[in-house]
Amino acid sequence: MAAIVSAHAYLVDVEVEKERTDAVQAFLKQETVFVEIRTDDGRTGVGYSYTIGTGGRSVLAMLREHLLPRLPGQDAAAVERVWFDLFASTRATTVGAITSLALAAVDTALWDLRCLRADEPLWKVAGGFRREVPLYDTEGGWLHLSTEELVSGALASQAAGWHGVKLKVGKPSAGQDLARLRAVRDAVGPGLDIMVDANQSMTHAEARRRAAAFEPLDLAWFEEPLPADDVAGHVLLARSTSIPVAVGESLYSVAQFREYLAQGAASIVQVDAARVGGITPWLKVAHLAEAFNVQVCPHFLMELHVSLAAAVPNGRCVEHIPQLRAITDGQLEITDGHAVAPDRPGLGIAWDRDAIDDRRVA
């Protein structure tokens, strides 16, 4: 038994590296919630979660007032039991974003400890399927960028050997979206995957209309076309288009993914380890998707998700949005268009303690 002797949480604001906009919002900053858990064998596990600008203090309050006081004395190696205990203690606020984000910060710290005790990297401890995962870029596809900038970014990704690019859609007219997408497809040819992301901005009727317009462009997927709680709408859309429908970044429990998969509403699963409650439920979602013969392309958090996508057989790709460089030493290793999972024990993220302390929120 590795008994937990202490746990504390703190909030760090990390500036965005560049302007990021989509059809419904702008990414203003990353509120990064850290949890550190110390055990009686002298080890400390570091976990984290995030928001894109709002709610970070609420996550921190959930941790400090409700979750962390339950940890001392528990066995850090019993990750499933700890997760379930914390989840069960917050029934009144589950399933919900604040609780899931708080659970994730604890769970990732426990997995960090698990890997440190095993002296193995996360990608191996979580499954060890492979070490390298194809990479696609989102940084060159934000909605405010001009068509010329989208083309330039896609060509740069293609020249670097990356497997695809994701472009934001949701301009006022379908014609505007279509012209931008067509320009990129004409520039890169048929050999590069192009994904589109509407960020839940459309009605079913509008999403169906735009999907029909997009079909000749051979898109790899149509991401979050509708509000995430409209499962029925996604079912109808998936039946009406040949473009795979991708969902997951705005789902906060394993059961929500089950509903999408069982009803044929998702062809690509984009489970986010922070938003679903940590690595423990992330792996459950990935294996659930595998049972439905569906691939996993996790949302954001490339520094963590590279290891998780590498761990499972249905991990298809990793999304390139660098956001932790200001508070870490080193960068994600990229080789021949693939993200390489870190081989150091633990989560594999080299935190820069001085940079973190400089950005702590009082």
Side-chain angles (χ1 to χ4, degrees):
M1 175 174 173
I4 296 172
V5 296
S6 67
H8 71 281
Y10 51 92
L11 181 64
V12 173
D13 280 349
V14 182
E15 60 273 19
V16 295
E17 295 198 6
K18 63 185 297 184
E19 183 180 5
R20 296 169 179 153
T21 60
D22 58 44
V24 299
Q25 63 195 342
F27 189 164
L28 302 176
K29 64 180 177 180
Q30 179 174 302
E31 293 182 306
T32 312
V33 181
F34 283 94
V35 165
E36 296 187 14
I37 298 175
R38 188 166 61 89
T39 55
D40 62 0
D41 59 5
R43 293 186 174 90
T44 299
V46 180
Y48 74 110
S49 187
Y50 78 98
T51 80
I52 62 170
T54 57
R57 286 171 176 79
S58 299
V59 177
L60 187 63
M62 172 65 76
L63 284 162
R64 288 176 170 175
E65 296 175 18
H66 302 288
L67 300 186
L68 298 190
R70 300 184 67 86
L71 293 180
Q74 295 212 48
D75 184 359
V79 177
E80 284 275 3
R81 186 170 65 205
V82 174
W83 193 97
F84 185 82
D85 175 73
L86 298 182
F87 180 84
S89 74
T90 56
R91 291 286 187 186
T93 60
T94 56
V95 170
I98 299 301
T99 300
S100 290
L101 291 165
L103 285 168
V106 174
D107 190 68
T108 49
L110 292 175
W111 273 87
D112 192 32
L113 282 167
R114 171 179 278 183
C115 296
L116 291 172
R117 283 193 305 272
D119 197 31
E120 293 280 7
L122 175 60
W123 74 272
K124 283 187 178 179
V125 176
F129 186 75
R130 56 178 171 175
R131 193 176 171 202
E132 299 182 358
V133 185
L135 191 68
Y136 76 91
D137 183 59
T138 296
E139 281 289 71
W142 302 108
L143 196 63
H144 68 277
L145 297 176
S146 68
T147 300
E148 292 73 21
E149 289 171 312
L150 295 182
V151 169
S152 176
L155 288 172
S157 295
Q158 186 176 47
W162 293 14
H163 291 248
V165 294
K166 184 161 73 182
L167 311 178
K168 299 292 184 175
V169 295
K171 288 289 188 180
S173 74
Q176 289 173 284
D177 278 340
L178 186 59
R180 289 158 61 86
L181 297 176
R182 185 179 291 123
V184 173
R185 175 56 78 201
D186 288 346
V188 301
L192 187 73
D193 281 346
I194 298 176
M195 305 81 159
V196 297
D197 183 0
N199 291 95
Q200 306 184 73
S201 63
M202 298 180 184
T203 64
H204 169 258
E206 185 60 25
R208 183 169 179 171
R209 189 170 76 94
R210 296 206 188 194
F214 298 162
E215 283 200 351
L217 299 175
D218 188 28
L219 300 182
W221 70 62
F222 191 176
E223 180 175 334
E224 285 203 315
L226 312 174
D229 55 2
D230 186 4
V231 181
H234 282 88
V235 171
L236 294 173
L237 180 63
R239 290 174 180 171
S240 71
T241 181
S242 65
I243 304 173
V245 174
V247 299
E249 71 178 77
S250 301
L251 302 183
Y252 295 93
S253 74
V254 177
Q256 290 176 334
F257 284 94
R258 180 197 63 210
E259 292 304 308
Y260 267 90
L261 290 165
Q263 297 185 53
S267 299
I268 302 289
V269 162
Q270 297 181 299
V271 55
D272 182 315
R275 294 181 177 183
V276 80
I279 293 169
T280 298
W282 191 99
L283 289 169
K284 293 177 182 180
V285 171
H287 295 314
L288 175 67
E290 183 186 5
F292 282 90
N293 197 26
V294 170
Q295 293 179 309
V296 173
C297 302
H299 166 255
F300 193 44
L301 294 183
M302 66 180 193
E303 300 85 0
L304 177 62
H305 283 145
V306 60
S307 296
L308 297 180
V312 298
N314 56 330
R316 172 175 168 175
C317 53
V318 171
E319 181 176 25
H320 179 260
I321 305 179
Q323 181 52 36
L324 292 181
R325 290 189 287 201
I327 57 171
T328 55
D329 293 318
Q331 298 188 35
L332 180 70
E333 183 181 349
I334 300 172
T335 303
D336 297 328
H338 289 69
V340 181
D343 220 19
R344 70 178 68 90
L347 298 184
I349 302 173
W351 301 111
D352 182 336
R353 295 290 183 163
D354 289 337
I356 288 172
D357 288 342
D358 288 344
R359 292 167 174 80
R360 278 209 199 195
V361 176

